[in-house]
Amino acid sequence: MNPDNTLKRNRPLPVVLILTALMGLHVFFFNNPASSLQLEGIPSWMGPVASLIYNTAALILFFLMLRTNRVGFFRRIFFVSIALLFLPTFIANIIEMRGHMALTTKDIFLNETPFCHIVLPLVAIPYALTQTLAFPAVLSTGYASFFSMLVIWLAATVILGRGWCSWVCFYGGWDDGFSRLRKRPALKISPRNDRLRYGGFAMLLFTLLAGLPTLTVVYCEWFCPFKLITEFEEPTGFKSMLAFILMVLLFFALAIILPLLTRKRVQCGSFCPFGAFQSLAGRVSPFRVVLDSGKCVQCGKCIQACPVMAISPETIKEGRGQPLMTCTLCGECVDVCPAQAVDFGLALQKKPSPPAGSLIKELLHPRSLLPWAGFAFGFVISSGFATGTLYRFFHLLVRGSFVLPGGLF
Amino acid sequence: MILEAFLLGVSTGTVCITTCAPSAVPLFLSREWSPRRNALGTALFFGGRLAGYLLFGLILGALGALAAGYLTPLWEGRIGALAYLLTGVLLLMEGIFYNLEKPRFQCFMKKRYPWTGGLFLFGLLTGLHFCPPFFAAAVRVTAEGGGPLQGGLFFLFFFLGTSLYFLPLLAAPWLTRKPAVRLVARMTLLLMGGYFFLVLGLFNLGGQL
């Protein structure tokens, strides 16, 4: 084991304070309590207090992440929180908008469904052929429009790449959280890591091709497990009822049970077509996890820790220097490595950089930049609905209802 | 008429691709073939499609206006659903049995399901996944009422026009050098086979009967 525990010691306080201060500016810019939503008939303190609570919690989490150098652990807390805070506001908002979660044919034709990032790669070919969006979403205005999601996705992909799947996606916290509840897996899948890793790519190719004959988004129609916590087609006939049952089964199997049993993010690592797409599109990002084969003691902890099976024994033996392209930059392997052989780095690096040695270099190091960028994007995506959930919680305490008269958005 | 048929194929070939690519792409990407063998496989696949098109061309040409009554969404749905059902079965067999790297399975499949016949059958069934351009050609032939030979010729040149869009299949060997690509394609075969068999085949056929 490398006795140099420089990377594992607490990060220097000046570096952490500067990065946290910069994050504070970012946080209060995007979620300013002074300009929080004020709804008529609702106490004026609720909005600012909700914003302040979320901002403060986020900054404390960010500070601890950098100070303790446990990026994977604190990132996971933030990521799971995003998923849990997303659920109540989204469902409440849908009910405020149309009175029910299920999408009727009329709702679909109204084209007011919030746009989901998962379908971004799946609407491209139908759009190219028909110049129409094969998803009933608003294009440019209102809540969660297509263009706003496209802009966020473009920016996050260029900077984070597949890091979207561990820092930004408001669904991923489900299987990420459940995959870490048990200390040991009840179902070991290591020998088949290789094949399961490519499941998402198969689902991507399948949904792209299967959608061609009908120019629809087959993944949404039949396979998306997260419709259960967002919105789904009203089960009025045999096919829609079957799709509903499949949705429930897939959610419990892929987002809860299998992650719990295997300690792997089964939905995100082996099924989600968007994740596979991000593995390809995200190669433009400058950030990577880097592995130093020279320092590696071959304990295999990084292989066990990786929730998306991006590190294989061959990665270590062959001295590849980086995990496979399915790496989501979650930092779990960085946390567990006893030899400090794993760290965040840049695209062309084959081993981690030595300690920076100066304040500026430490601030500009990937181990500072990547967590900062990831957390920043995650905050931008989550601040609206997270604050909204807190706001609704206060409303529940004061007025006895989680649903707001007139809606929040 | 020949030029008209060819141009109809060329101008609507992208739509043709949308119905044929779901089975053709994973099928060709799942195999580790040399360029020569891939070209032969592509030719067999094309041969199957051509056989299907010619068959329809001859029948529609012979029937003429009598066939017009059968060019309806109901019959299109029935024949299409049946074609998807059978294609789904073949895709599942392909994904489960043929590509397993075990001599026992390969011997079994080679005896009962020669790859040559299999590809021809795939092409034939894929041709029966009716698409709007196919219907446009069918309507043209039945309206012309020029007999089976004219119908066959029309569909032959229509087929040639659409086939230009399938030429990228010849590039498959350069992609399938990577084992990961073949593995992903094999998984896709299974998913596609199940989807074709159940959703586009069985459920649709149930709805049509």
Side-chain angles (χ1 to χ4, degrees):
Chain A
M1 183 182 296
N2 190 334
D4 179 8
N5 287 318
T6 310
L7 294 177
K8 286 297 183 193
R9 282 204 302 259
N10 288 347
R11 299 281 295 277
L13 196 57
V15 173
V16 175
L17 286 175
I18 290 172
L19 290 169
T20 306
L22 289 170
M23 183 58 70
L25 289 173
H26 171 84
V27 153
F28 280 90
F29 175 77
F30 277 100
N31 195 26
N32 189 350
S35 55
S36 294
L37 195 64
Q38 303 285 341
L39 293 180
E40 200 177 315
I42 294 174
S44 59
W45 58 267
M46 283 190 185
V49 170
S51 296
L52 203 58
I53 289 176
Y54 187 60
N55 290 0
T56 308
L59 284 172
I60 291 172
L61 216 52
F62 182 73
F63 175 84
L64 290 172
M65 177 195 297
L66 295 184
R67 180 65 175 150
T68 62
N69 229 0
R70 294 179 67 190
V71 173
F73 176 74
F74 287 100
R75 174 212 60 83
R76 194 183 332 127
I77 296 175
F78 179 60
F79 197 54
V80 172
S81 303
I82 286 176
L84 293 175
L85 290 168
F86 171 77
L87 171 67
T89 278
F90 189 91
I91 292 176
N93 186 54
I94 290 294
I95 291 172
E96 285 156 9
M97 264 171 51
R98 55 175 187 248
H100 45 85
M101 268 180 83
L103 276 166
T104 61
T105 309
K106 180 189 165 194
D107 296 322
I108 292 171
F109 276 113
L110 281 173
N111 283 335
E112 289 176 346
T113 307
F115 187 78
C116 175
H117 60 275
I118 294 180
V119 305
L120 267 170
L122 307 177
V123 297
I125 296 177
Y127 183 81
L129 292 173
T130 62
Q131 285 77 57
T132 54
L133 198 63
F135 189 91
V138 177
L139 276 184
S140 59
T141 56
Y143 175 57
S145 68
F146 167 72
F147 280 117
S148 62
M149 189 56 77
L150 185 67
V151 167
I152 293 172
W153 169 77
L154 263 171
T157 299
V158 166
I159 295 171
L160 296 175
R162 195 164 175 189
W164 172 286
C165 300
S166 281
W167 293 90
V168 188
C169 180
F170 36 82
Y171 298 128
W174 285 90
D175 67 351
D176 201 354
F178 278 104
S179 72
R180 286 296 183 259
L181 284 183
R182 289 177 62 94
K183 284 199 183 312
R184 282 187 167 70
L187 208 62
K188 283 193 180 174
I189 58 169
S190 298
R192 294 185 189 162
N193 276 356
D194 187 62
R195 289 170 187 264
L196 288 172
R197 182 188 302 128
Y198 296 111
F201 293 92
M203 184 54 76
L204 177 65
L205 184 61
F206 162 65
T207 49
L208 280 173
L209 294 173
L212 290 180
T214 49
L215 294 175
T216 54
V217 187
V218 169
Y219 185 75
C220 290
E221 287 177 352
W222 289 99
F223 299 102
C224 181
F226 293 114
K227 291 184 300 185
L228 184 63
I229 55 171
T230 51
E231 51 195 346
F232 44 84
E233 189 186 348
E234 191 180 32
T236 52
F238 175 70
K239 265 195 198 177
S240 52
M241 180 56 77
L242 201 64
F244 181 84
I245 293 169
L246 188 62
M247 164 189 77
V248 174
L249 291 174
L250 284 173
F251 179 78
F252 281 99
L254 298 176
I256 297 177
I257 296 171
L258 286 174
L260 189 63
L261 295 177
T262 61
R263 294 197 88 236
K264 298 294 180 193
R265 291 177 61 185
V266 177
Q267 156 64 20
C268 300
S270 306
F271 193 81
C272 181
F274 181 80
F277 175 71
Q278 278 303 94
S279 294
L280 300 167
R283 298 309 277 173
V284 300
S285 159
F287 295 112
R288 300 286 188 274
V289 165
V290 286
L291 307 135
D292 188 346
S293 304
K295 279 186 181 177
C296 175
V297 297
Q298 312 237 348
C299 63
K301 284 186 177 177
C302 56
I303 299 172
Q304 297 303 317
C306 181
V308 292
M309 301 160 283
I311 304 177
S312 66
E314 287 72 32
T315 307
I316 312 294
K317 281 181 199 163
E318 293 169 15
R320 289 179 190 167
Q322 293 180 4
L324 297 166
M325 65 160 67
T326 50
C327 172
T328 62
L329 302 172
C330 66
E332 300 281 354
C333 53
V334 177
D335 281 3
V336 301
C337 180
Q340 293 85 53
V342 189
D343 198 5
F344 293 113
L346 297 174
L348 297 176
Q349 277 182 260
K350 292 294 181 191
K351 56 183 176 181
S353 305
S358 76
L359 182 66
I360 298 292
K361 283 184 181 174
E362 190 64 35
L363 286 172
L364 295 176
H365 195 282
R367 74 172 76 94
S368 298
L369 292 176
L370 186 279
W372 200 97
F375 202 93
F377 269 105
F379 187 85
V380 167
I381 275 280
S382 65
S383 59
F385 57 73
T387 308
T389 294
L390 292 170
Y391 192 86
R392 291 171 192 283
F393 181 69
F394 291 148
H395 193 264
L396 176 68
L397 290 175
V398 171
R399 295 281 164 87
S401 168
F402 203 74
V403 174
L404 301 173
L408 189 61
F409 295 103
Chain B
M1 194 224 19
I2 289 174
L3 186 64
E4 181 191 341
F6 182 75
L7 288 176
L8 177 65
V10 170
S11 63
T12 57
T14 50
V15 183
C16 238
I17 278 282
T18 63
T19 46
C20 299
S23 45
V25 169
L27 188 64
F28 280 83
L29 289 183
S30 67
R31 298 175 179 228
E32 192 180 8
W33 277 344
S34 64
R36 187 171 170 274
R37 189 160 179 181
N38 185 72
L40 185 57
T42 307
L44 280 165
F45 181 79
F46 277 13
R49 276 186 75 236
L50 178 60
Y53 276 36
L54 280 177
L55 187 67
F56 266 87
L58 291 168
I59 293 171
L60 290 172
L63 289 174
L66 288 173
Y70 291 97
L71 292 177
T72 60
L74 181 65
W75 277 102
E76 175 254 330
R78 284 175 178 172
I79 298 172
L82 198 57
Y84 275 118
L85 197 113
L86 293 171
T87 314
V89 170
L90 284 179
L91 286 172
L92 284 169
M93 282 173 61
E94 187 74 21
I96 295 170
F97 293 118
Y98 193 80
N99 280 302
L100 278 177
E101 289 160 4
K102 291 181 181 175
R104 179 164 55 97
F105 283 108
Q106 286 193 344
C107 286
F108 171 84
M109 292 312 297
K110 278 181 179 171
K111 282 176 190 170
R112 286 161 180 75
Y113 177 56
W115 70 275
T116 50
L119 276 171
F120 185 87
L121 194 57
F122 263 117
L124 180 68
L125 288 171
T126 304
L128 294 178
H129 298 167
F130 295 144
C131 55
F134 188 96
F135 267 93
V139 167
R140 181 72 179 85
V141 163
T142 52
E144 188 75 19
L149 188 60
Q150 191 177 32
L153 269 175
F154 191 96
F155 268 83
L156 170 64
F157 285 95
F158 170 67
F159 163 81
L160 289 174
T162 61
S163 294
L164 296 175
Y165 295 90
F166 289 86
L167 292 178
L169 285 176
L170 295 170
W174 283 272
L175 290 171
T176 58
R177 281 175 192 169
K178 285 188 176 292
V181 172
R182 298 198 302 274
L183 178 63
V184 168
R186 222 173 294 161
M187 289 179 178
T188 308
L189 277 177
L190 292 170
L191 290 167
M192 196 69 73
Y195 181 72
F196 273 15
F197 180 76
L198 286 171
V199 179
L200 297 183
L202 213 60
F203 294 165
N204 275 354
L205 203 59
Q208 302 290 340
L209 293 173

